[in-house]
Amino acid sequence: MRRAGVRPAVHSFTYLLKACGDRSDLRRGREIHSQLIASGFGSNVFAMTAVVNMYAKCRRIEEARRMFDRMPERDLVAWNAIVAGNAMILGYAQNDRVEDALRLFNKMQRETVMPDSFTMVSVIPVLADISVLKQAKWIHGFAIRLCLDKNIFVMTALVDLYAKCGSVRVARRLFDAMEERHVTTWNAMIDGYGTNGFGKSAIDLFEQMKRSSVKPNDITFLSVLSACGHSGLVQEGKKYFAGMKEDYGLEPNMDHYGCMVDLLGRAGRLHEAWDFIQKMPISPGISVYGAMLGACKIHKNVKLGEEAAQRLFELEPDEGGYHVLLANIYAAASMWEDVARVRTMMEKKGLQKTPGYSSIDLKNEMHTFYSGSTDHPQSQKIYTRLARLIDEIKAVGYVPDGDSLHDVEEDVKEQLLGTHSEKLAIAFGLINTTPGTSLQIRKNLRVCNDCHEATKFISQVTGREIIVRDMQRFHHFKNGQCSCGDYW
């Protein structure tokens, strides 16, 4: 076109920028951006919206935001591009973008730009990531005021949001009220049941889906297999895995194989899981060996744990978490020389364990606690309340579980366990809420055995419902019991 001497119009650049964004071709995207400016379209709202979208899709959100802020006028499409861009970054585990996306959403409203369904579907998953029920109710009410409560995509996002806030009953009510359901709607509800520990309900809904006119896809089966794994439904999981190809012609991918290894491994069928890996028609990946290593940690199998860890070290040598898991397996078997060897290996490679933290939302402010941290303004009150709480639960049968701590004196073990981040978050919640109020905690790692046991007793002595979302699932603690049935 250029060689023919034809001067590009503004739409020429928007199409080119979209192509660069779709291909994540940042180098060419920047070239097109420069040519757009040189052609005099630097103030055109359509062209600059395409520029913003291109940078966002290329994961250059700071550049996208700079271009966005320079726009003399911004329409709904431009707002959607930048809001979606911030939300998209969540997929790359940059959690600091959550607040950025929400701030932009609020700013958008202040500038009297009315959000549409695309905006809502971009923002709702951001709220799902932080699992705050109050925020879920707020955005749900906002969708109703925008008359988007009949939009299938918005309502599907809300079903997923409520499930990820631990409110499965509300999610199901929304699901049942929908006049039309997409396959992603069914998937969201099935996955919601699974991650909240209601495996039987997930299976029942899947069977209902099979009787409907909606055909399951690969994500559906991933959700069903995960639900079976969380609830120990081994035979059901094996049946559905086989049915993927036999009944629906769907080829299992790496994530499905990882779910099957997790399902078998959690159930203690480690040798069956390892045999399953050896017979995979595709080369096992990180998710498969990661599930195997996690199962070996739970069931303290050194030999298979070493095999899985070695494969993971080859596939992802810079991930410290696998080294920590292997060291814990050795420590549980009192193999101290091997523990020291793994720790030395980590030091040489400069690898570190991901620090555990727990968060709780109070009055629209997120409070985050690390194990043993004392930097919170209410630290003294928190530790005083926690000490009294530990005495209360010990009186009704709680015994600290120090198996996760090795090579440490017993009194030190108890002190370390007593200041884990989720216990600090719970104590903070008890201090700052009225009796009977449920507490909702977000944990970035798997809940440890001691905190799980302690939280059951805390729910008993305080009469509180405590909902903990860890990296894998939800735990609903109430009256001294957990919804997971101690299977996680």
Side-chain angles (χ1 to χ4, degrees), residues 299-400:
H299 297 288
K300 302 177 182 179
N301 188 305
V302 175
K303 185 175 185 302
L304 291 177
E306 288 177 325
E307 293 273 9
Q310 188 54 47
R311 303 295 198 286
L312 287 165
F313 295 163
E314 294 168 2
L315 291 169
E316 201 169 19
D318 296 329
E319 175 52 57
Y322 305 134
H323 294 76
V324 172
L325 277 175
L326 180 59
N328 288 340
I329 292 172
Y330 284 140
S334 299
M335 300 170 64
W336 304 116
E337 289 186 5
D338 292 291
V339 172
R341 176 173 56 80
V342 174
R343 288 176 178 170
T344 301
M345 187 191 312
M346 290 181 67
E347 289 175 6
K348 286 182 178 178
K349 292 183 176 181
L351 304 179
Q352 293 182 339
K353 177 185 177 182
T354 302
Y357 64 83
S358 299
S359 302
I360 181 171
D361 179 75
L362 185 69
K363 297 178 181 177
N364 295 324
E365 184 178 355
M366 193 67 69
H367 297 261
T368 300
F369 299 89
Y370 291 84
S371 293
S373 60
T374 57
D375 55 350
H376 193 276
Q378 295 187 26
S379 281
Q380 187 172 350
K381 288 183 179 180
I382 291 169
Y383 277 92
T384 299
R385 180 67 182 99
L386 184 56
R388 193 166 77 249
L389 191 61
I390 297 297
D391 288 338
E392 291 171 5
I393 62 177
K394 279 182 177 179
V396 294
Y398 165 69
V399 178

Side-chain angles (χ1 to χ4, degrees), residues 161-422:
L161 170 60
Y162 275 111
K164 286 180 176 173
C165 288
S167 295
V168 187
R169 289 189 183 89
V170 178
R172 183 59 191 263
R173 282 203 297 271
L174 292 183
F175 176 87
D176 289 339
M178 291 177 67
E179 297 174 1
E180 180 188 3
R181 302 184 190 103
H182 190 267
V183 63
T184 54
T185 315
W186 290 90
N187 292 349
M189 194 66 243
I190 292 170
D191 183 66
Y193 273 134
T195 54
N196 280 276
F198 305 111
K200 289 287 187 183
S201 297
I203 286 176
D204 290 343
L205 188 61
F206 178 57
E207 292 296 334
Q208 183 183 333
M209 180 185 185
K210 287 163 65 177
R211 294 190 295 270
S212 74
S213 59
V214 179
K215 183 180 177 182
N217 61 15
D218 58 335
I219 303 298
T220 313
F221 280 97
L222 193 62
S223 299
V224 171
L225 292 174
S226 177
C228 291
H230 285 308
S231 299
L233 304 172
V234 177
Q235 295 308 316
E236 292 87 342
K238 292 172 76 171
K239 179 185 76 173
Y240 290 130
F241 181 79
M244 274 189 72
K245 192 168 185 179
E246 293 173 5
D247 301 334
Y248 293 95
L250 295 171
E251 198 69 43
N253 61 35
M254 193 67 70
D255 290 330
H256 297 101
Y257 286 110
C259 273
M260 282 304 295
V261 172
D262 185 63
L263 171 74
L264 296 169
R266 283 179 191 273
R269 299 162 74 156
L270 296 177
H271 290 283
E272 184 178 349
W274 189 251
D275 185 57
F276 178 87
I277 294 173
Q278 305 312 305
K279 293 178 180 177
M280 282 175 55
I282 58 177
S283 181
I286 291 169
S287 61
V288 172
Y289 286 122
M292 188 70 207
L293 182 61
C296 291
K297 162 69 166 56
I298 293 170
H299 297 288
K300 302 177 182 179
N301 188 305
V302 175
K303 185 175 185 302
L304 291 177
E306 288 177 325
E307 293 273 9
Q310 188 54 47
R311 303 295 198 286
L312 287 165
F313 295 163
E314 294 168 2
L315 291 169
E316 201 169 19
D318 296 329
E319 175 52 57
Y322 305 134
H323 294 76
V324 172
L325 277 175
L326 180 59
N328 288 340
I329 292 172
Y330 284 140
S334 299
M335 300 170 64
W336 304 116
E337 289 186 5
D338 292 291
V339 172
R341 176 173 56 80
V342 174
R343 288 176 178 170
T344 301
M345 187 191 312
M346 290 181 67
E347 289 175 6
K348 286 182 178 178
K349 292 183 176 181
L351 304 179
Q352 293 182 339
K353 177 185 177 182
T354 302
Y357 64 83
S358 299
S359 302
I360 181 171
D361 179 75
L362 185 69
K363 297 178 181 177
N364 295 324
E365 184 178 355
M366 193 67 69
H367 297 261
T368 300
F369 299 89
Y370 291 84
S371 293
S373 60
T374 57
D375 55 350
H376 193 276
Q378 295 187 26
S379 281
Q380 187 172 350
K381 288 183 179 180
I382 291 169
Y383 277 92
T384 299
R385 180 67 182 99
L386 184 56
R388 193 166 77 249
L389 191 61
I390 297 297
D391 288 338
E392 291 171 5
I393 62 177
K394 279 182 177 179
V396 294
Y398 165 69
V399 178
D401 179 3
D403 285 350
S404 59
L405 299 174
H406 310 283
D407 202 20
V408 178
E409 296 295 331
E410 288 302 318
D411 58 335
V412 178
K413 280 186 182 181
E414 187 168 336
Q415 183 180 356
L416 292 172
L417 291 170
T419 59
H420 274 191
S421 63
E422 46 265 72

Side-chain angles (χ1 to χ4, degrees), residues 16-26 28 57-58:
L16 286 167
L17 288 163
K18 182 181 184 303
C20 292
D22 290 343
R23 293 169 60 92
S24 295
D25 192 336
L26 181 63
R28 288 186 179 180
K57 286 184 175 180
C58 291

Side-chain angles (χ1 to χ4, degrees), residues 126-133 161 164-165 440 442 469 474:
V126 177
L127 297 175
D129 188 74
I130 57 177
S131 302
V132 178
L133 183 58
L161 170 60
K164 286 180 176 173
C165 288
Q440 193 151 2
R442 176 73 188 271
R469 178 184 176 183
F474 279 89

